[in-house]
Amino acid sequence: MTHYFSWLKNPDNRLKLLILAFVITLFPFVAVSFFAFPTTDDYCHTLAVKEMGYWGYQVHYWKTWSGRYIGTLISATQPLAYDSYLGYKLAPIVLILLYVHASLKFAGAITGDKLAKWQTYLLAFLLVFVLIAELPVVSGYFYWYTGYYYTVADIGTLYLLAYLFRNYSKLSSRNIVVLALGIILLVGMNEYTLVWLVVLSGALFFFGSVVTRKLQVKYLVLSAVALVFGVLSVTAPGNAARAESGLYPTPLKYNLLFSIKNSLAWQIHNFAKIAPALCVLALVLIPIACQLFKNKGDFKFLRAHPALSILVFVGCLYLSYFPSYWSIAEPPNLRGQCVITFWTLIGWTYNVFVLTFWALEKGYMKPVEPGKPVAWVVGLYFFFLFTGNFNYRSAWSDLLTGRAARFNKEMHERTALVLNTREEQVYVPKLKNVPYTILIVNDETDPAWASVEVNNGCAEWFFKKKFFYK
């Protein structure tokens, strides 16, 4: 035991241990990627691209379904449009690796590279670990191609924030241009990222100008860009067409009182679920913040007043839920809640740093060092979270039991059956293997092929045949 603790004192060994932790945590998610298969709406978007062309597809969805002007660029790159199934297996691996890289960049930027390398890796690892553990649906976040404009937005947000933190002290015109371009791209990916970036950039301009008593022109530019492109996305004709399409026939749409009440209730409900992990994470973040405070002059972006920072954080969380209740009288879909979980984690991390800096500055607390008891508490909590968490358990189960591999085989056999059937009607065997990690499970329809209605799925439109599941 003494030798073990002596080995851990070496920073290089701690780094090796963290890299191993990354590998163990992410391995099953990378491995099951090789068994991913196009599902549900992937077939609709593939068919639309084939029939309308890439740019014709953009125009069609802008007018009839969505204002996600960048999101539709992503969903239109369906590998199946080029008769490739391999792309659906490689894309999740690329996204997972990019997410890790973006998390490392973010961790390095928010700590100003003032930490030892192993500590930066620890922060990045915990951010990735907690996110995966708390995602309401892993399949729709990492494996559903049509939903990638959610995941790509979060990855891009990490890079954007890292760039902002590194250049915050001396924002040049070039920095503003890069940040503005990043905002344009991210705002056009999904409504949740749109809300956060519009509000955050607006708060940065407004409170920055009030505190300094000087008009912050550079932040005004970023705020204006976010607002203009946010309005462009929200007012797209496709958004109105979707809201009035009849898919959400409820009298509670556009009911202000209902939207206000349920948005708050859902915000509290979802935050309560992730709160235990966030509180344990704070036990790691606070000592890190205390260590950074020694170089407080290098962290101007952490010198916000906590009352304002927390107010903006809570307000953004609330606004993440309100548009969904207002427009369709339902909570955000699970992929949208993944994005909200991401922003909750990032916002929590930032606010813990801000609050710690403020408390140290005011003398309300003394710098704390990470002690062995706290390390054991954190380590044991996350270990038991790893072993008991549904997302992690199902990933290992799907891989080790061969469920994901058998699902992939079933889907290839199904596809061959449909293609080799000349009749317009085909009897399709029901799925025997349903891997939760890579497949969005729906009790009412076939989770691989049906969409919206039981007998009117995207795969039927794509293959131009009527399916009967037996």
Side-chain angles (χ1 to χ4, degrees):
M1 183 66 70
T2 303
H3 174 73
Y4 171 75
F5 285 116
S6 177
W7 184 86
L8 273 180
K9 289 181 180 179
N10 188 323
D12 291 336
N13 292 336
R14 292 182 179 184
L15 181 60
K16 292 176 184 177
L17 190 62
L18 281 166
I19 293 174
L20 178 62
F22 264 117
V23 172
I24 292 174
T25 300
L26 299 176
F27 174 76
F29 298 100
V30 172
V32 299
S33 298
F34 291 101
F35 307 115
F37 207 85
T39 61
T40 59
D41 291 1
D42 291 341
Y43 292 95
C44 283
H45 291 276
T46 296
L47 185 61
V49 172
K50 284 191 170 186
E51 292 184 348
M52 303 176 191
Y54 186 82
W55 294 110
Y57 167 97
Q58 313 304 324
V59 174
H60 172 75
Y61 274 87
W62 176 264
K63 291 180 177 179
T64 65
W65 191 252
S66 172
R68 305 169 185 140
Y69 54 87
I70 301 298
T72 51
L73 291 177
I74 295 172
S75 60
T77 60
Q78 296 284 339
L80 195 55
Y82 308 97
D83 302 317
S84 170
Y85 288 91
L86 180 62
Y88 295 95
K89 306 176 189 305
L90 296 181
I93 299 174
V94 172
L95 284 186
I96 292 171
L97 295 180
L98 275 177
Y99 202 105
V100 172
H101 184 263
S103 297
L104 287 169
K105 289 295 183 183
F106 173 83
I110 199 172
T111 59
D113 295 323
K114 301 298 182 183
L115 301 179
K117 191 173 183 180
W118 74 268
Q119 289 178 299
T120 302
Y121 270 64
L122 174 63
L123 177 56
F125 170 75
L126 290 177
L127 292 176
V128 173
F129 180 88
V130 172
L131 177 88
I132 294 178
E134 300 299 337
L135 284 176
V137 55
V138 171
S139 53
Y141 195 71
F142 283 125
Y143 301 94
W144 188 40
Y145 201 97
T146 297
Y148 278 168
Y149 43 78
Y150 294 102
T151 319
V152 173
D154 291 349
I155 294 171
T157 297
L158 288 172
Y159 285 124
L160 183 77
L161 292 176
Y163 186 83
L164 173 63
F165 293 158
R166 289 197 181 281
N167 297 282
Y168 189 86
S169 297
K170 297 180 180 179
L171 282 176
S172 65
S173 298
R174 179 179 178 276
N175 297 145
I176 294 299
V177 170
V178 172
L179 289 169
L181 289 175
I183 288 173
I184 292 171
L185 293 175
L186 293 173
V187 162
M189 288 193 186
N190 63 74
E191 295 79 6
Y192 309 99
T193 304
L194 182 158
V195 167
W196 278 87
L197 290 182
V198 169
V199 176
L200 288 178
S201 59
L204 187 63
F205 160 67
F206 177 77
F207 291 120
S209 299
V210 170
V211 170
T212 61
R213 297 182 181 179
K214 180 181 179 181
L215 188 67
Q216 300 295 310
V217 177
K218 293 179 180 178
Y219 300 148
L220 174 60
V221 171
L222 296 180
S223 178
V225 168
L227 183 61
V228 168
F229 282 88
V231 170
L232 174 68
S233 178
V234 170
T235 58
N239 284 326
R242 179 174 54 178
E244 300 299 333
S245 64
L247 288 176
Y248 311 100
T250 169
L252 293 174
K253 283 198 306 184
Y254 312 128
N255 185 310
L256 182 60
L257 183 60
F258 172 85
S259 302
I260 292 174
K261 180 181 69 175
N262 284 276
S263 297
L264 180 60
W266 201 253
Q267 175 187 358
I268 295 172
H269 173 266
N270 276 4
F271 187 82
K273 289 196 300 183
I274 192 176
L278 293 178
C279 290
V280 176
L281 177 63
L283 297 177
V284 179
L285 297 177
I286 292 172
I288 290 177
C290 290
Q291 188 175 342
L292 298 178
F293 188 73
K294 300 173 185 177
N295 305 98
K296 58 183 179 181
D298 297 328
F299 295 97
K300 291 184 179 180
F301 57 88
L302 294 177
R303 306 305 294 275
H305 194 285
L308 297 178
S309 181
I310 293 173
L311 175 64
V312 172
F313 174 54
V314 174
C316 283
L317 272 182
Y318 179 79
L319 290 175
S320 297
Y321 295 97
F322 183 83
S324 181
Y325 277 105
W326 173 255
S327 60
I328 63 175
E330 293 180 5
N333 59 39
L334 292 179
R335 283 98 59 199
Q337 290 180 44
C338 287
V339 180
I340 297 173
T341 299
F342 163 82
W343 277 104
T344 302
L345 179 60
I346 298 303
W348 175 269
T349 300
Y350 178 80
N351 275 282
V352 169
F353 281 173
V354 167
L355 192 57
T356 304
F357 265 53
W358 177 80
L360 290 170
E361 185 79 43
K362 296 294 184 180
Y364 296 146
M365 66 175 288
K366 295 181 179 180
V368 296
E369 298 288 339
K372 288 183 180 180
V374 173
W376 275 105
V377 169
V378 173
L380 287 174
Y381 175 83
F382 285 125
F383 173 76
F384 287 118
L385 179 61
F386 176 73
T387 56
N389 179 263
F390 175 80
N391 292 339
Y392 288 116
R393 285 192 296 108
S394 61
W396 280 107
S397 176
D398 289 338
L399 177 64
L400 296 180
T401 63
R403 188 183 301 113
R406 292 194 299 272
F407 160 75
N408 183 63
K409 182 181 179 182
E410 277 190 82
M411 292 309 298
H412 278 290
E413 291 174 348
R414 272 181 160 197
T415 303
L417 172 65
V418 172
L419 292 176
N420 292 328
T421 301
R422 295 183 179 181
E423 291 80 10
E424 292 185 358
Q425 297 181 350
V426 56
Y427 286 88
V428 180
K430 291 183 179 180
L431 280 178
K432 297 179 181 178
N433 298 277
V434 181
Y436 282 84
T437 309
I438 58 178
L439 195 63
I440 301 175
V441 178
N442 187 325
D443 294 333
E444 298 178 357
T445 64
D446 180 81
W449 273 356
S451 176
V452 182
E453 299 175 14
V454 175
N455 295 318
N456 196 18
C458 285
E460 288 186 333
W461 298 334
F462 179 79
F463 290 108
K464 296 179 172 56
K465 288 181 175 133
K466 181 71 174 177
F467 293 167
F468 294 93
Y469 297 99
K470 61 179 181 179

